[in-house]
Amino acid sequence: MRRRSTAPASPLPQRFGVDPVHLRLPVAGGPWETVRAYLVERLPAVAAERVDGLLRDGGVVGEDGRPVGAAEPFRPGAHLWFYRELPPEVPVPFELEVLHRDEHLVVVDKPHFLATTPRGRHVVETALSRLRHALELPALSPAHRLDRLTAGLAMFVVRPQDRGAYQALFRDRLVRKEYRAVAAYDPAVVLPATVRSHIVKERGRIAAHELDEAPNSESRIELLERRDGLGRYLLRPTTGRTHQLRLHMSGLGLPILGDPVYPVVLPEPAPDDFRRPLQLLSSAMEFTDPLSGRPRRFESRRTLAAWTDRESW
């Protein structure tokens, strides 16, 4: 069996909880005489002037932490690190509350609008980057995903050697998850109900959609209470498809308040518009700890504004 090579440890620390970029020069070699020539071809999105500036200022380093100069000869298989140029980000003006921390896990109460992990234009303003920086845990990694627009419980793994055990809980559907949502009340919708469908989320498309095929998703939906034309709902997903709860609620004719995608994709609001958060909350998680064997349950302390503060809506 072929063993996977392990990259050496980075000689550069994280900045704002974000790892430096790591590149390995092709082992088979190539037509490049210098490291600069390779970087200019390998990084077409980075202007040659930016590459020159990094090399001139010592911003590219090798395995020993020594700066690599523009004339450095190309060495097949060599490792390089440098910091990416981060675009300006609009700060998410809400706190990320740590509910639990031990040697294995960090569980947080994530606010709406804060991405869980770096992706696209959200890099520093993410839960992972904030936690790595604030808790001084550079190896922290997510155990699962939680949409940027959804608030509530998110779980992170402290040690790399424990990551697989906790991620397997979510992969194997061993975590019992509960969500709360606020949507319109419709007496014609019979609840509780179990919704099953085949959900597909294609790369490059904002919205997921359903196909007339064997179900790959399941959600249990219950009405907890109603008032003034609104309902507060308890959602229990058995599976974890992207946008599953939002799509299933919309399919019932009960789109979640503040949803900019279902049933209709709306124009994207300004990056600093935090006025109408999606009224979906990851409210509870329960599982048997794979390392200790002890039962665990975590509950969010957040509420949904459309239910608790109707005047703001």
Side-chain angles (χ1 to χ4, degrees):
M1 180 181 295
R2 184 178 179 182
R3 297 183 62 184
R4 180 184 294 180
S5 61
T6 302
S10 171
L12 296 177
Q14 292 175 348
R15 287 202 310 192
F16 309 110
V18 180
D19 290 319
V21 175
H22 169 235
L23 288 179
R24 189 183 188 192
L25 305 187
V27 177
W32 313 280
E33 294 185 359
T34 64
V35 168
R36 179 195 180 277
Y38 172 76
L39 291 178
V40 170
E41 182 175 321
R42 172 67 175 77
L43 305 173
V46 180
E49 292 79 6
R50 165 68 175 159
V51 173
D52 289 335
L54 280 170
L55 294 169
R56 181 181 61 251
D57 299 337
V60 180
V61 303
E63 294 180 45
D64 57 2
R66 181 182 62 84
V68 173
E72 185 89 13
F74 178 94
R75 291 187 299 109
H79 294 267
L80 303 175
W81 288 265
F82 60 91
Y83 293 115
R84 76 182 81 176
E85 188 173 23
L86 299 176
E89 295 182 49
V90 175
V92 177
F94 308 113
E95 293 298 321
L96 178 67
E97 182 182 2
V98 176
L99 300 177
H100 173 86
R101 179 183 178 182
D102 61 29
E103 61 181 321
H104 303 296
L105 289 178
V106 173
V107 180
V108 301
D109 222 351
K110 188 184 79 67
H112 296 286
F113 301 108
L114 184 68
T116 302
T117 57
R119 185 179 180 184
R121 67 174 184 267
H122 307 286
V123 179
V124 174
E125 283 297 313
T126 63
L128 181 62
S129 298
R130 281 192 187 184
L131 290 168
R132 282 176 169 178
H133 182 64
L135 303 182
E136 298 183 348
L137 294 174
L140 195 70
S141 61
H144 64 116
R145 68 175 186 267
L146 185 66
D147 286 348
R148 182 179 70 89
L149 298 183
T150 304
L153 299 176
M155 191 165 80
F156 297 83
V157 184
V158 175
R159 306 190 307 174
Q161 60 265 39
D162 298 335
R163 185 182 309 154
Y166 288 105
Q167 289 180 342
L169 289 175
F170 293 88
R171 182 195 66 214
D172 298 337
R173 304 177 187 173
L174 298 176
V175 179
R176 294 167 294 283
K177 295 180 284 186
E178 296 178 5
Y179 289 74
R180 298 292 191 274
V182 178
Y185 169 71
D186 184 350
V189 179
V190 179
L191 297 176
T194 298
V195 182
R196 300 181 182 91
S197 69
H198 189 99
I199 294 177
V200 175
K201 176 68 167 67
E202 298 172 357
R203 183 180 295 274
R205 292 187 59 179
I206 296 175
H209 61 281
E210 295 171 310
L211 300 178
D212 187 17
E213 297 182 7
N216 62 2
S217 65
E218 179 177 298
S219 307
R220 181 70 171 175
I221 299 173
E222 302 175 27
L223 175 66
L224 294 175
E225 53 184 324
R226 63 184 177 89
R227 69 171 188 236
D228 302 328
L230 293 180
R232 190 167 72 92
Y233 298 88
L234 170 63
L235 315 179
R236 290 193 176 99
T238 304
T239 54
R241 298 288 170 180
T242 301
H243 295 182
Q244 174 179 318
L245 296 175
R246 297 164 63 182
L247 193 55
H248 282 171
M249 286 290 286
S250 181
L252 289 174
L254 304 171
I256 298 171
L257 291 189
D259 196 329
V261 175
Y262 305 99
V264 177
V265 178
L266 302 176
E268 188 172 4
D272 59 350
D273 186 352
F274 303 109
R275 291 174 296 175
R276 289 183 63 84
L278 174 70
Q279 295 301 281
L280 180 62
L281 173 70
S282 173
S283 56
M285 290 194 301
E286 191 172 359
F287 57 91
T288 299
D289 193 288
L291 301 185
S292 69
R294 294 189 293 112
R296 297 258 202 176
R297 180 177 173 86
F298 301 103
E299 297 183 359
S300 172
R301 297 173 184 169
R302 296 186 181 275
T303 59
L304 294 170
W307 193 258
T308 59
D309 184 15
R310 289 296 308 280
E311 291 185 1
S312 65
W313 280 74

